[in-house]
Each structure stands twice: as C-alpha cells, then as structure tokens.
Amino acid sequence: MIDRLAKFVRDTQIWQSVFRHGYPDNDRNQSLIMFSSVLLHLHPVKIRRSALRFRYTMCLGGLSAFMFLLLTFTGIFLMFYYVPDTRQAFQNIKDITSNVFMGGLMRDLHKWSAEAMVFLVWMHMFRVFMTGSYKAPREFNWGIGVILLTLTLLLSWTGYLLPWDQLALWAITVGTKMAEATPFFGYAGPWGQQLGMRVDNDIRFLLIGGTVVGQSALLRFYVLHCVALPVLITLGMVVHFWRIRKDGFSGPL
Ligand code: HEM
C-alpha cells in the first residue's frame, strides 16, 4: 500500500519537475542526483570515502557556514527593533532583551553564534593547515579563506559597537585608535604625516566619520555590519564553495 502510494507520488508531474532523477542505484544516477541538487552539488561529484569521515574535517567549514546562516536569521529579527541612533540604540537593546517576545532568545543566539563563528573559522583554518589542504591546487581557496577570516573578524568587531554601551564605546575607541597608528594610512602611524595624513582625513576618520566615536560611527558600523560585510562574506563563500567543488576535496590518502 505504502509502496504504491510512494510510486504514485513519484510518478506525478509535480514530483518529477522537482526531482528529475530516480533512485541512486547506479553510478550514472548517483552522479545525476549530485548534479541536479543545489545542496549535494556543493560537494565534488567524486570524493574519497575517507574524506567524508567526520574526524577529517570535523565539519568545521560547514559549521562556520551554518553559524553565518543563523547570524543572518537572528540579525534580521533584531533589525526589526534596533535603530542606529545614539539616543535610542541602548534602550532598544534593553527592550529587545526584556520586552520583545523571544527577543532575549534571538539576541543570545546572535551573540553566541557570532562568538562560535569566529572560533569555528579559526579552527577550520587550523584543520586545513594541519592536513596540508592549502597546497596545490588549493592555494587560491586558501587565499579566499584568509579574506573570509578577515571579513568574519570585521563582522564581529562592527557588531560590537551597536549596543552603544560603555563597553562598546571604549572598545571601538581603542580599536579605531589602533587604526590611527597604521603605517601610511593613519596620521599617528609611521610615514602617515609625511604622506599628508591628518586627524581629519586618515583611515580612522574614514571609519568613524569624525574624530570621536559618535553618531556617524554608529551609522557607519551599522551599515557595514548589516549590509556591506554580510554581502561580501556571501560572495566570498560562493567562490569558496565553487572552488572546493572544482579543486576536488583533499581527503586523507
Ligand atoms: C566564513 C568562513 C569559512 C567557511 C564558511 C568555510 C567553509 C568551508 C567548507 C564547508 C569546506 C568543506 C570542508 C570542510 O568542512 O572543512 C571548506 C574547505 C576549505 N576551506 Fe574553508 N571556510 C571558511 C574559511 C576558510 C579559511 C579561513 C581558510 C584558510 C585560510 C579556508 C580554506 C579552505 C580550504 C583550503 C578548503 C579545502 C579543504 C580540503 O580540500 O581539504 N576556509 N571551507
């Protein structure tokens, strides 16, 4: 009875328009199923069985990507309530935590997954290094990975300012003061002043839109945190995943 029902469903035009290939009972069908599914397509078509072992990757790259999805989902929720205005931001965060339905849960999930993503991306990089997976032909993907790591750290750092509490204000003041001491681009850094850097035109000024952390800084960090960096990370991940597929997965010998 169940078999007949399953066959009936599989024979409908709707089912066949979504799942174009049948049961993966031979090599050709297995490949076709990989090719025609977005999720399975992320893996190379041929892969060593040993490379699929959990203890080889510990799923660290996949978990990093999952954390990014979770951050996006909870972040969109937070955006419904948060206004990047120095007069409202702190109160908004308190309201989200205590008064909004499931707000505390969303905020905690956002915070914990942010910390987890930073940790997991570092660990993933460590795994890739320890298994020598950065060697040819995967050097380019290692480079993309370094960009992804930098963007992940920037994402975490820009989010730090948004609660607009004392910790946020002083953390970003210290962080951007470090930018001020950057060689060439910061007015207090080596060769900065020789290249015409001043307190009102150097890299710190560009970052915070002024000489002190205030309204312009909050707005800039908000736009970077909610739009620019997530878009760049998404593009980076697309290239990263595409290259994993094209380079083939390293896997233990
Ligand atoms: C947002 C950050 C990142 C995400 C979401 C991500 C995701 C992934 C995923 C899902 C894989 C497949 C295997 C696995 O799970 O380990 C992978 C492989 C790989 N990743 Fe990343 N990655 C990120 C950052 C990095 C970084 C920081 C590096 C190094 C600097 C890197 C270099 C590589 C390389 C070389 C491979 C191929 C590994 C192999 O063939 O064994 N990735 N990445």
Side-chain angles (χ1 to χ4, degrees):
M1 171 68 185
I2 292 182
D3 282 355
R4 274 177 42 213
L5 189 65
K7 186 173 177 329
F8 175 77
V9 173
R10 277 205 303 269
D11 286 347
T12 58
Q13 195 173 353
I14 296 181
W15 181 273
Q16 288 187 359
S17 70
V18 182
F19 305 102
R20 287 172 182 234
H21 304 288
Y23 190 76
D25 50 359
N26 56 40
D27 285 355
R28 186 172 175 276
N29 274 352
Q30 281 172 359
S31 306
L32 286 173
I33 282 193
M34 294 294 279
F35 279 129
S36 61
S37 151
V38 175
L39 285 178
L40 294 177
H41 190 79
L42 293 176
H43 268 293
V45 174
K46 283 186 187 166
I47 192 162
R48 284 197 200 98
R49 187 184 287 269
S50 52
L52 289 174
R53 277 207 209 115
F54 175 76
R55 70 161 193 258
Y56 184 67
T57 63
M58 283 166 280
C59 206
L60 290 164
L63 284 172
S64 309
F66 175 72
M67 288 304 153
F68 181 67
L69 285 180
L70 194 58
L71 280 166
T72 309
F73 174 75
T74 51
I76 289 174
F77 178 91
L78 296 175
M79 281 174 81
F80 282 114
Y81 297 96
Y82 178 84
V83 183
D85 176 342
T86 50
R87 291 161 302 181
Q88 298 182 54
F90 181 65
Q91 188 59 41
N92 283 168
I93 297 285
K94 282 195 3 185
D95 286 344
I96 290 173
T97 315
S98 340
N99 299 335
V100 174
F101 177 64
M102 295 223 298
L105 177 69
M106 289 294 156
R107 191 177 167 216
D108 285 351
L109 272 177
H110 196 74
K111 185 146 173 52
W112 279 100
S113 43
E115 314 242 342
M117 184 173 170
V118 171
F119 175 75
L120 289 165
V121 174
W122 276 115
M123 287 297 112
H124 169 59
M125 185 178 184
F126 184 61
R127 188 290 287 175
V128 171
F129 178 74
M130 293 309 280
T131 53
S133 310
Y134 54 85
K135 293 178 195 163
R138 297 178 194 84
E139 314 96 310
F140 177 76
N141 225 10
W142 173 268
I144 296 288
V146 173
I147 295 173
L148 279 173
L149 173 71
T150 313
L151 292 174
T152 304
L153 297 177
L154 284 174
L155 192 65
S156 182
W157 187 61
T158 47
Y160 209 178
L161 183 63
L162 305 189
W164 201 248
D165 51 11
Q166 287 291 316
L167 182 66
L169 186 77
W170 296 113
I172 303 306
T173 301
V174 172
T176 53
K177 279 277 174 193
M178 286 158 81
E180 191 177 84
T182 314
F184 308 112
F185 303 110
Y187 100 103
W191 305 290
Q193 288 179 26
Q194 286 84 339
L195 289 174
M197 290 299 154
R198 294 188 313 271
V199 73
D200 60 355
N201 74 353
D202 71 344
I203 184 88
R204 179 170 193 261
F205 189 85
L206 179 73
L207 260 176
I208 62 176
T211 50
V212 287
V213 177
Q215 178 59 62
S216 312
L218 185 59
L219 188 59
R220 284 183 189 203
F221 274 53
Y222 178 75
V223 174
L224 285 172
H225 186 74
C226 301
V227 185
L229 291 166
V231 167
L232 288 176
I233 291 192
T234 307
L235 290 176
M237 277 195 200
V238 168
V239 180
H240 198 59
F241 293 161
W242 177 77
R243 275 311 278 241
I244 294 168
R245 199 182 152 76
K246 295 293 161 190
D247 295 341
F249 194 57
S250 66
L253 289 173

